[in-house]
Amino acid sequence: MKRLSAAEIATAVNGELYGIDPESLLSAGVVTDSREVGPGDIYVARRGENFDGIEFAAAAVEAGAALVIGESVPTVDDNPLPTVLVADATEALGQLARRSVEALRETGELRVIAITGSVGKTTVKDLTADLLAGAGPTVWPPNSYNNEVGVPLTALRADEETQFLVLEMGARSIGNLAYLTSLIRPDIAVELAVGTAHSGVFGSIDNTARAKAELVESLVAGSTAVLNADDSRVAAMREVLAADVETLWFSQRESLPEWVGADDRIVRATGISTDSSGHPSFALHLPGEEPQEVRLALVGEHHVGNALAAAAVAFACGVGVKSIVTTLATSSAASRWRMELIDSPSGVTVLNDAYNANPESMRASLKTLAAMGRGDEDSRPRRTFAVLGEMLELGDESVSAHSDIGELVVRLNITRTIVVGEGAKPIFNAANLEGSWGNEATWVATVAEAKELLGAELAPGDIVLFKSSRDAGLRYLGDDIAGVSGAQ
């Protein structure tokens, strides 16, 4: 956080000071969990559905917190603890992040990169951070900190030395991104894709597109919009850009879409292929540079688009082509359960992609599994297992979306499909109707039943994919089968 006085903080969050010298300077961390407080930190006592953070204020101060931001003034022995009294602690957190970033921009060379999209946000955030970290001090969220709490907390980790602040921004309703960008305006905004994820929340894919467009609408003159040329809804966002906002496209099509002009700048991949280990290779084309051959450390052809988006950001920030190529070839999944490839002690290869799921990412994961199972001139074919759970928040499209996946597993010749949970059952039903025979597809009600089946059937050399939305719990089963320490 930018060093600010207690009085400056109170002004920034529209609060009133108690129990602290207004001239006291604060520049340590900002936390919302009293258990994470360190010496000199600011503790933001948020009020949740099942807790009131102000109840832990005394413990936070005892642990070293220099200031509490809360909706009431906590006391010890009738003496007020050092507090900024505010109307809404969560809003105050955002206002403090806004003031800190504004102050850092006034005194330094901070550039803010914000990333959104229905799929790929976390992977692109991690890749982008890796690419920029070699060019200067970079701050990014360790996990999917992409909401009204996570984005400000990440921004408040930036200090006077930070050159790049990489933010992941999510939306669950129209207005979410407008709010987040009102707090921290990006210099570079990345639009990955408009898909069916959360369509049950937004009501339609067009509403999803409208919500996602709020990110690039926040850009001002001199900023850059990094847009996916292969997604027509993202491409249409060029029409909402303010004057003098630069567009930098990325595409993995061999033939460019009609809306990309001959003079437009674009980051491209051509000659895409995937080897038997699931790693994609392609020729990377950066504006004004000779094509460079890249083999991603990430697993799955769908990561080509993610790599292009991250490379576009790095290019816009002045990172050299050799550094971009080298980093893409060595940067693996930094966040858990995103196409995480693990060779288990039992000889089974586990592909754990069960943190998030929507129809687009489910199809991509299954195609990667099928490609890995086919083998090539250097490896023999392998049996493929797909353990699939429910894709949540699809609304009225849920049954048809799951049914489409059931048809796909048959067409891809997946050796064995185990469908887990009532919500995912249409996958199993559709697989049977599509032509699955014998026990190629099985439905079980619980994760425990799936574990029992896998224990009886998996053999050394097999590949097993775990894919579902987070709340289905399959990521922990994947850890268990992979022999990952701490699996639940």
Side-chain angles (χ1 to χ4, degrees), residues 44-100:
V44 181
R46 296 179 57 243
R47 186 190 301 272
E49 292 183 4
N50 301 312
F51 68 91
D52 187 347
I54 205 69
E55 296 175 5
F56 307 101
V61 172
E62 185 176 356
L67 184 67
V68 175
I69 297 177
E71 296 168 20
S72 61
V73 180
T75 60
V76 173
D77 296 330
D78 294 329
N79 296 313
L81 295 177
T83 303
V84 178
L85 177 64
V86 296
D88 187 305
T90 299
E91 289 185 4
L93 174 66
Q95 291 161 354
L96 179 59
R98 176 197 288 142
R99 178 67 189 104
S100 178

Side-chain angles (χ1 to χ4, degrees), residues 30 57 59 79-80 141 144 170 214 245 307 351 379 406:
V30 178
N79 296 313
S144 295
E214 292 172 359
V245 171
L351 194 56
S379 62

Side-chain angles (χ1 to χ4, degrees), residues 252-271:
Q252 53 187 311
R253 292 185 184 177
E254 292 290 337
S255 299
L256 291 178
E258 60 185 16
W259 41 78
V260 177
D263 296 328
D264 286 353
R265 298 205 308 165
I266 186 163
V267 175
R268 296 181 62 196
T270 59

Side-chain angles (χ1 to χ4, degrees), residues 344-346 348 350 451 454-455 458 464 466 476-483:
S344 75
S346 65
V348 172
V350 172
K451 179 180 179 180
L454 292 170
L458 285 175
V464 55
F466 295 87
Y476 298 128
L477 176 57
D479 281 351
D480 198 347
I481 298 301

Side-chain angles (χ1 to χ4, degrees), residues 88-137:
D88 187 305
T90 299
E91 289 185 4
L93 174 66
Q95 291 161 354
L96 179 59
R98 176 197 288 142
R99 178 67 189 104
S100 178
V101 170
E102 287 175 349
L104 291 173
R105 276 179 161 145
E106 292 168 359
T107 59
E109 298 181 355
L110 180 68
R111 297 186 76 178
V112 178
I113 297 94
I115 301 160
T116 197
S118 298
V119 292
K121 291 188 297 296
T122 300
T123 298
V124 175
K125 173 262 298 182
D126 291 337
L127 282 175
T128 299
D130 275 358
L131 286 162
L132 296 179

